Amino acid sequence: MEKKSLNIESRLAQIGSVQEPVTGAVTFPIYQATAYRHPKLGQSTGFDYSRTKNPTRSVLEEACAELESGDAGFACSSGMAALQTIFALFGQGDHLIVSLDLYGGTYRLLERIMAKFGVSATYVDTNDLDALEGSRRPNTKAVFIETPTNPLMMITDLEAVCTWARHHQLISIVDNTLLTPYFQRPIELGADIVIHSATKYLGGHNDVLAGIIVTKGKELSEEMAFLHNSIGAVLSPSDSYQLMRGMKTLALRMDAHERNATAVATFLTTHPAIENVYYPALPDHPGHEIQNRQSSGNTGIFSFKVKDARYVEPVLRHVKLIAFAESLGGVESLMTYPAVQTHADIPLEIREAIGVDDRLLRFSVGIEHVDDLIADLDAALGAAIAEVEGSAGE
Ligand SMILES: *Cc1c(COP(=O)(O)O)cnc(C)c1O
């Protein structure tokens, strides 16, 4: 397709723009119809029933497939719905190798639901090829990678792991939620499947829940189409529109998120209340070099550890501009306490082994003015220190 020669900013801005043939509408309409009239017996317009295929959803799916350099895209009702659809590739007796530091919902889906269907998982540091090889079994079918991981921002060398996976005929699946195809395209590095919680950066405005799957290869794309239709956790036409609306500004937003996150993370590295900042854009982050090699930019979220767990509660109470809320990737800044929110379903011993403890906070840096964000955070940290020291002195 000629489109691919355009830069990604142009392709994003133009999603659905010249595809409406009847009226010339410059944004693609929302087709609410669930059924489509057949011209005659044995003929179809290409659309039969909206669970299988819907015109509005198709425009979104084709755009996502193209952006991720895949062959087919599938829009789902949430990131979890997308993950469930992907995991339906596996069945009784199958084994998966999965990133150790993992989105809590993915862990819960694997351990509480897929386990009931006989699918088991081993959690390893996917950047350690020896650990990967050590966890591989005769029944291993796939490797599932988050990079950067959420919340600890560990980086996996995608090309190395996908090459290893291909060698052993394992499917490689990458959760690309944190970087989006604007910054990182795992299929170009050898992955077979990319999944997104489009609720996050793709949508970008904390106002649409959606998931995206992109597959590479004819066989896998056909199987995913079958699962997507059979399971039926598809994205509605109006949410498909809403998601495309958000994606048009993805490039602008990601650049702003990265710029702000880098400035705020750098500010925190020297703050007296902070022990550690986990952000791959910082030069001393262990994954910095790999991240720079395989991605063209950095996500807008990072985590940090306060020196004293008693700071957490007052910090969350004192932030004003930054909202204490779950989720990430929207234009508004949100701060989360992973140990009790997003990662509560991960057993304490796993959480503590990887460092998701009661001193860790995760910050999804929005596109507000960076000076306002730093001032808000600085004031909340100062108030927290004052409260804790005040109580210790009593
Ligand atoms: C939020 C998230 C999910 C789940 O997506 P939902 O849209 O909330 O269902 C999966 N993976 C990652 C990395 C996420 O951040």
Side-chain angles (χ1 to χ4, degrees):
M1 209 166 147
E2 168 202 351
K3 250 190 157 179
K4 189 87 192 186
S5 62
L6 293 172
N7 288 297
I8 191 165
E9 292 84 351
S10 309
R11 287 181 277 134
L12 284 164
Q14 295 275 337
I15 293 174
S17 285
V18 291
Q19 271 155 292
E20 201 287 296
V22 181
T23 65
V26 296
T27 59
F28 199 80
I30 302 172
Y31 282 85
Q32 288 287 13
T34 51
Y36 304 83
R37 200 169 58 237
H38 298 298
K40 62 184 221 191
L41 190 64
Q43 284 189 358
S44 163
T45 59
F47 297 96
D48 306 310
Y49 185 62
S50 271
R51 170 160 37 72
T52 318
K53 200 173 172 198
N54 169 277
T56 312
R57 202 178 77 224
S58 289
V59 170
L60 167 68
E61 291 172 336
E62 283 161 23
C64 290
E66 190 273 329
L67 288 164
E68 283 286 8
S69 299
D71 293 318
F74 305 92
C76 302
S77 51
S78 68
M80 293 317 303
L83 286 161
Q84 170 75 85
T85 303
I86 292 168
F87 290 150
L89 287 167
F90 310 110
Q92 182 63 45
D94 288 344
H95 173 251
L96 312 177
I97 299 172
V98 180
S99 284
L100 182 62
D101 177 28
L102 188 69
Y103 178 69
T106 311
Y107 179 85
R108 181 177 57 197
L109 176 60
L110 287 167
E111 292 303 310
R112 304 274 297 275
I113 298 167
M114 295 313 295
K116 287 198 295 192
F117 297 94
V119 178
S120 60
T122 303
Y123 303 88
V124 300
D125 173 359
T126 44
N127 205 36
D128 180 345
L129 280 175
D130 292 333
L132 278 174
E133 190 51 42
S135 61
R136 193 171 61 83
R137 303 183 196 158
N139 58 338
T140 303
K141 290 286 162 26
V143 57
F144 183 96
I145 306 156
E146 281 186 21
T147 181
T149 59
N150 165 12
L152 286 171
M153 315 305 289
M154 300 196 294
I155 302 298
T156 289
D157 183 336
L158 285 175
E159 200 162 17
V161 175
C162 293
T163 302
W164 169 83
R166 182 137 312 178
H167 179 72
H168 296 290
Q169 290 168 326
L170 310 181
I171 297 172
S172 32
I173 308 165
V174 178
D175 186 329
N176 203 29
T177 298
L178 265 50
L179 285 171
T180 81
Y182 179 63
F183 280 150
Q184 174 172 280
R185 289 177 294 281
I187 288 173
E188 291 177 5
L189 299 167
D192 301 297
I193 301 175
V194 167
I195 175 270
H196 282 274
S197 169
T199 314
K200 315 293 168 55
Y201 288 109
L202 291 181
H205 294 74
N206 292 319
D207 64 0
V208 60
L209 196 66
I212 293 289
I213 302 167
V214 174
T215 49
K216 181 76 186 167
K218 186 165 183 282
E219 205 180 314
L220 202 52
S221 299
E222 281 171 3
E223 189 161 6
M224 200 63 73
F226 169 79
L227 293 172
H228 188 235
N229 180 48
S230 301
I231 292 171
V234 301
L235 194 64
S236 75
S238 42
D239 284 347
S240 297
Y241 180 86
Q242 182 97 329
L243 181 52
M244 288 192 270
R245 169 73 138 79
M247 285 172 67
K248 285 167 178 279
T249 56
L250 182 69
L252 294 172
R253 287 187 286 107
M254 292 312 288
D255 285 339
H257 284 299
E258 179 188 37
R259 208 166 47 237
N260 277 359
T262 304
V264 179
T266 305
F267 162 75
L268 288 181
T269 54
T270 56
H271 196 284
I274 305 301
E275 182 173 295
N276 208 348
V277 180
Y278 304 82
Y279 189 46
L282 299 176
D284 61 350
H285 186 280
H288 182 69
E289 211 178 297
I290 299 172
Q291 165 73 19
N292 280 355
R293 179 159 26 96
Q294 69 189 7
S295 318
S296 57
N298 288 278
T299 184
I301 82 162
F302 66 84
S303 296
F304 60 96
K305 211 165 260 191
V306 290
K307 284 188 177 147
D308 188 325
R310 289 175 300 171
Y311 294 161
V312 170
E313 191 278 325
V315 165
L316 294 173
R317 180 158 36 83
H318 284 290
V319 282
K320 290 197 182 75
L321 177 62
I322 303 161
F324 170 38
E326 273 165 81
S327 200
L328 62 98
V331 293
E332 302 93 353
S333 289
L334 305 181
M335 193 172 287
T336 306
Y337 190 27
V340 303
Q341 292 183 306
T342 50
H343 289 63
D345 282 299
I346 296 182
L348 188 65
E349 63 273 18
I350 296 188
R351 266 197 276 125
E352 296 205 325
I354 58 177
V356 183
D357 63 16
D358 61 356
R359 287 187 295 141
L360 190 79
L361 285 163
R362 190 188 76 191
F363 187 10
S364 174
V365 185
I367 64 165
E368 301 90 344
H369 196 289
V370 68
D371 294 348
D372 296 332
L373 292 173
I374 289 176
D376 195 38
L377 202 49
D378 195 27
L381 287 166
I385 295 174
E387 277 187 29
V388 169
E389 301 210 326
S391 71
E394 272 160 20

